[in-house]
Amino acid sequence: MVRSSLWHCSLVGLGVISAPLGSFAGGLPTSVIEEVVVTGRLDRLQGAPVSASQGVVGAEQLDVRPVLRAGELLEVVPGLIVTQHSGDGKANQYFLRGFNLDHGTDLATSVDGVPVNMPTHGHGQGYTDINFVIPELVQSIEYRKGTYYAETGNFSAAGAVEMRYRHALAAPMIVLEGGEDNYMRSLIAGSAEVGGGQLLMGFEYALIDGPWQLEENYRKRNGLLRYSRDTDGGSFSITAQGYEGEWRSTDQIPLRAVQSGSIDRFGTVDPTDGGDSHRYSLSADWTTALGGGQSKTLLYAIDYDLDLISNFSYFTDPENGDQFEQVDQRRVYGGEWSWNRDFDWLGRSQKFSSGLQVRHDDIDKVGLYRTVARERIDTTREDAVRQTSYGVYGSLDTRWSDHVRTTVGLRADRFEFDVDASLPQNSGDESDSIASPKFSLVLGPWSKTEFFFNAGKGFHSNDARGTTIQVDPTDGVTPAERVDALVGATGLDVGVRTALVPNTQFSVSLWSLKLDSELLFVGDAGTTEASRASERRGIEAAVIWNPLSWFIVDADLAWSHARFGDYDPAGDRIPGAVENVASLGLAIDHPRGWFGGARFRHFGSAPLIEDNRVRSSSTTLVNLEAGYRFWQRYKISAAVYNVFDSEDNDITYFYESQLANETEPVEDIHFHPVEPRTVRVTLSASF
């Protein structure tokens, strides 16, 4: 998928700069930065930032960023890597702050306040599939890394990301894209004034085969309908979304098979892997003046379904093979009410924020089945789950002087699980609660520089089925150990932001995070399971340099050190914990209509097993793009992904598998390659 140029905005310096490239003649305006610091106005953040690890990327930057997949929109978060280890219809793989987040655990993601993460999911805890998002309609992406924000709850230990849709478009648009490997995509979108408000509509269709020997045949259909309008003292919007997708998968393959020549690098072991999914949602939110402050109410309902067929270990069962099916069918209902108010106390400016969040997952079926060529031959487990969570929070921001500000917060969450398992022994009820205090100290500005200190607690929930289990569902006899319902996390951040150097913004933060229990991938089951406690620490740096009004350079660098916190003879390394991430981007948006850019993207080696005797290789990619805008209505651009045709990997695992010609399982590296060099062309028109 190609936008119109290549540009990445990290929030560095003292504020968010969210204007088009050409609007900053002579560089980044320090007046904007100073206004943000002194008055605390940062509209999209709804207040002054409390850490050096949060920011907002606006529509102007998103519009000039090419993405191979919709999930790569999230790579605007500094240090976040988004990859894929299966078919494109499946949720992406995420890496952040020394975590292999699998499909979203410990990264809370939402769209207009509606959560995306799925707890007690058929494939992985916190499963985050954003294929339903239409990139051109996204207004902004806000990110918060760490455990320091009272409003973020479950799955936010590493961070939280919120995407927000536009309310209207300046003009209707048509986008047509085409490329190698039978890539086709179309979008039609527009808005109109209706009843004193704005009606926004967008419809997307894509067909993707990819470079795989087994054509992916991923067909994606997306639709969005949103009505919004201003009201006395506030605003109101109602949004309906629908997504449907079906695909065939080329899952990770064993290195030994590629080295022997029995499987091509883009080949597959089981050609019947694949899946289908849908997500339909309806949400409404409104803001209004209340009690001298402002309140916001959000209500949402989601109908979700995933049917996923996978085979990661191939033929450890020589007769039937190891293919399995994971099913998740649920409806989600929830809402949030928040209220904030500015006031003065003893001559000091204060802001009080509070909120209540409720979510209920009515999971009709979450199942695991053994299959042969997509036909079920056995049921491992098939459960119904009712899961309800309640969260309440409050925070107080106090400006003690022109150079000292604190934010103190407290959050309390309660989870209730009701599991109706196919094995009666594994059924039951469970509940748990957790409190999460937060504290932030901000010093400055001095010489356009601020300093931040943050401490706080967060958490993630475990799969409800693990909290009531008594016996292994594969045999119905072997005792199984239960897991804690809620897993606590403790984080610290020390950071600085500065705009002291002309036309440049820079930020750096030192961080640490302790997690009471790690979630690790289990290759032969295709799931995650609770593991040992862990400790992480690291450093992140980001810079934006804007020497000319139409030229920007940006760079991010992140390093992390991840270890299990207790002794075990197996070792203390955390499998999949990437140790370094780097990116470098150039962007040009010339007034004469030419635009283009380049991006270097790197994520480093990681241990694949606890004793560190097997490690993944690093991955480095370079993307280029060039385009021309003419007659103010039309744009044409071409993007080249993986310019140097790198043969690196998107994801690497180490576990046992057995091929059809083998007599016993073999420990081996299993990988999913990056896509080879590919060219895509985009034509767009507005009316």
Side-chain angles (χ1 to χ4, degrees):
M1 184 186 306
V2 180
R3 308 302 288 273
S4 62
S5 183
L6 182 55
W7 201 71
H8 165 70
C9 174
S10 303
L11 175 61
V12 289
L14 304 181
V16 175
I17 306 301
S18 55
L21 279 173
S23 66
F24 292 154
L28 297 169
T30 57
S31 61
V32 173
I33 297 174
E34 290 170 348
E35 180 183 7
V36 169
V37 173
V38 173
T39 68
R41 292 175 183 167
L42 194 53
D43 293 340
R44 289 185 177 134
L45 277 178
Q46 299 179 352
V50 300
S51 83
S53 302
Q54 67 179 119
V56 172
V57 180
E60 298 85 358
Q61 291 82 45
L62 295 172
D63 287 346
V64 294
R65 184 180 183 88
V67 290
L68 188 68
R69 311 177 182 99
E72 292 181 6
L73 278 176
L74 300 185
E75 286 194 349
V76 298
V77 179
L80 177 63
I81 293 293
V82 179
T83 68
Q84 180 58 270
H85 78 101
S86 186
D88 280 330
K90 188 177 180 180
N92 293 105
Q93 198 89 9
Y94 305 97
F95 297 85
L96 179 67
R97 286 198 161 185
F99 280 91
N100 176 350
L101 296 162
D102 193 49
H103 296 291
T105 305
D106 292 309
L107 179 65
T109 305
S110 60
V111 177
D112 284 320
V114 179
V116 181
N117 302 73
M118 294 292 177
T120 311
H121 189 269
H123 181 68
Q125 180 69 346
Y127 190 84
T128 302
D129 182 2
I130 66 167
N131 276 305
F132 68 92
V133 172
I134 301 175
E136 287 85 352
L137 302 186
V138 176
Q139 176 68 33
S140 64
I141 296 179
E142 179 180 348
Y143 61 87
R144 299 178 173 93
K145 288 184 279 186
T147 57
Y148 323 118
Y149 319 98
E151 62 272 27
T152 60
N154 196 15
F155 301 124
S156 64
V161 179
E162 179 164 14
M163 310 175 78
R164 292 194 175 276
Y165 274 125
R166 304 171 189 258
H167 291 283
L169 293 173
M173 69 165 67
I174 294 177
V175 178
L176 298 174
E177 297 181 0
E180 296 178 88
D181 302 314
N182 198 28
Y183 173 82
M184 294 179 287
R185 177 178 178 264
S186 60
L187 168 70
I188 181 169
S191 60
E193 186 172 343
V194 177
Q198 289 287 335
L199 180 65
L200 173 67
M201 297 171 287
F203 302 95
E204 175 193 33
Y205 176 81
L207 172 62
I208 305 170
D209 278 342
W212 323 108
Q213 288 189 336
L214 175 71
E215 291 183 349
E216 189 171 6
N217 197 27
Y218 176 34
R219 299 176 184 272
K220 178 169 73 169
R221 300 169 295 277
N222 267 327
L224 178 140
L225 185 66
R226 158 174 277 193
Y227 179 74
S228 57
R229 62 172 295 174
D230 293 332
T231 62
D232 293 338
S235 62
F236 168 81
S237 70
I238 183 168
T239 305
Q241 297 183 78
Y243 159 72
E244 296 175 346
E246 54 272 343
W247 64 94
R248 299 188 298 187
S249 297
T250 295
D251 291 332
Q252 63 256 27
I253 55 178
L255 179 61
R256 64 186 184 278
V258 177
Q259 291 177 334
S260 70
S262 60
I263 298 177
D264 185 82
R265 179 174 172 80
F266 299 100
T268 185
V269 177
D270 191 334
T272 62
D273 291 350
D276 61 80
S277 182
H278 76 242
R279 185 186 192 274
Y280 311 122
S281 66
L282 180 66
S283 63
D285 68 87
W286 59 96
T287 60
T288 186
L290 178 68
Q294 186 176 62
S295 72
K296 180 176 181 179
T297 304
L298 167 69
L299 297 173
Y300 59 85
I302 303 169
D303 181 271
Y304 173 83
D305 182 279
L306 173 70
D307 191 341
L308 185 64
I309 307 289
S310 307
N311 189 344
F312 300 144
S313 52
Y314 319 124
F315 291 99
T316 60
D317 177 351
E319 181 180 354
N320 296 306
D322 300 350
Q323 189 183 78
F324 58 92
E325 177 184 15
Q326 295 166 308
V327 171
D328 191 294
Q329 299 173 356
R330 73 176 69 199
R331 290 174 298 278
V332 184
Y333 309 99
E336 178 176 0
W337 180 84
S338 61
W339 180 76
N340 63 77
R341 181 183 177 184
D342 296 316
F343 64 97
D344 289 333
W345 182 68
L346 297 180
R348 295 183 173 90
S349 298
Q350 315 272 339
K351 181 174 184 177
F352 177 73
S353 301
S354 61
L356 171 67
Q357 299 165 342
V358 179
R359 172 172 174 167
H360 176 72
D361 286 70
D362 185 359
I363 307 173
D364 290 335
K365 183 188 295 184
V366 54
L368 177 62
Y369 312 90
R370 294 192 62 199
T371 55
V372 176
R374 298 199 179 200
E375 296 295 327
R376 293 180 188 175
I377 61 171
D378 190 25
T379 298
T380 303
R381 67 181 304 167
E382 183 179 275
D383 310 320
V385 179
R386 308 292 179 263
Q387 177 170 330
T388 307
S389 61
Y390 313 88
V392 60
Y393 65 87
S395 66
L396 180 65
D397 184 284
T398 303
R399 186 171 293 278
W400 299 94
S401 71
D402 290 342
H403 301 290
V404 180
R405 177 166 56 89
T406 61
T407 301
V408 179
L410 179 64
R411 181 183 180 91
D413 290 89
R414 179 173 176 80
F415 283 69
E416 297 176 352
F417 306 126
D418 180 1
V419 179
D420 183 8
S422 53
L423 283 176
Q425 305 97 303
N426 289 336
S427 299
D429 300 329
E430 188 58 68
S431 63
D432 200 3
S433 301
I434 192 168
S436 306
K438 323 278 185 177
F439 175 76
S440 297
L441 170 66
V442 183
L443 303 175
W446 294 287
S447 301
K448 304 174 186 176
T449 303
E450 278 190 320
F451 301 88
F452 300 84
F453 172 80
N454 311 97
K457 288 184 172 292
F459 71 97
H460 71 237
S461 65
N462 273 328
D463 192 305
R465 295 168 293 176
T467 69
T468 62
I469 194 171
Q470 295 191 54
V471 296
D472 187 337
T474 59
D475 60 21
V477 176
T478 305
E481 185 177 353
R482 294 184 174 184
V483 300
D484 293 331
L486 304 178
V487 176
T490 303
L492 291 172
D493 252 76
V494 178
V496 60
R497 293 178 173 181
T498 183
L500 183 61
V501 177
N503 306 324
T504 304
Q505 296 185 77
F506 175 76
S507 73
V508 63
S509 66
L510 302 171
W511 60 270
S512 70
L513 183 67
K514 295 183 178 181
L515 198 63
D516 291 345
S517 175
E518 195 79 16
L519 284 177
L520 295 181
F521 176 78
V522 183
D524 58 356
T527 60
T528 53
E529 67 177 20
S531 182
R532 299 147 57 190
S534 64
E535 300 179 359
R536 288 173 172 82
R537 64 180 183 271
I539 183 170
E540 297 172 329
V543 64
I544 294 178
W545 180 46
N546 184 202
L548 301 170
S549 62
W550 47 269
F551 179 63
I552 282 185
V553 179
D554 74 277
D556 302 322
L557 179 64
W559 172 86
S560 62
H561 176 277
R563 299 290 188 271
F564 284 116
D566 57 354
Y567 173 76
D568 191 298
D572 64 355
R573 297 299 183 99
I574 302 175
V578 173
E579 295 168 352
N580 56 78
V581 173
S583 69
L584 174 66
L586 309 176
I588 297 172
D589 192 4
H590 199 277
R592 293 185 178 180
W594 292 101
F595 58 85
R599 175 151 295 278
F600 163 89
R601 169 182 176 266
H602 170 87
F603 61 95
S605 176
L608 298 180
I609 192 168
E610 287 84 348
D611 63 10
N612 200 35
R613 62 186 169 88
V614 183
R615 296 179 62 87
S616 67
S617 300
S618 61
T619 296
T620 303
L621 296 175
V622 174
N623 300 330
L624 296 175
E625 185 201 13
Y628 185 69
R629 184 183 300 105
F630 53 97
W631 298 335
Q632 301 300 317
R633 287 187 175 184
Y634 307 103
K635 290 187 292 186
I636 181 170
S637 62
V640 183
Y641 297 92
N642 192 5
V643 171
F644 298 108
D645 206 20
S646 163
E647 294 188 355
D648 294 338
N649 299 324
D650 258 347
I651 188 71
T652 310
Y653 301 103
F654 183 77
Y655 58 84
E656 286 188 344
S657 65
Q658 182 174 331
L659 296 170
N661 62 348
E662 296 173 333
T663 58
E664 62 183 15
V666 178
E667 283 190 332
D668 196 8
I669 287 175
H670 299 75
F671 69 94
H672 192 265
V674 300
E675 296 194 17
R677 180 169 52 235
T678 184
V679 178
R680 294 180 181 178
V681 176
T682 299
L683 301 173
S684 63
S686 57
F687 305 96

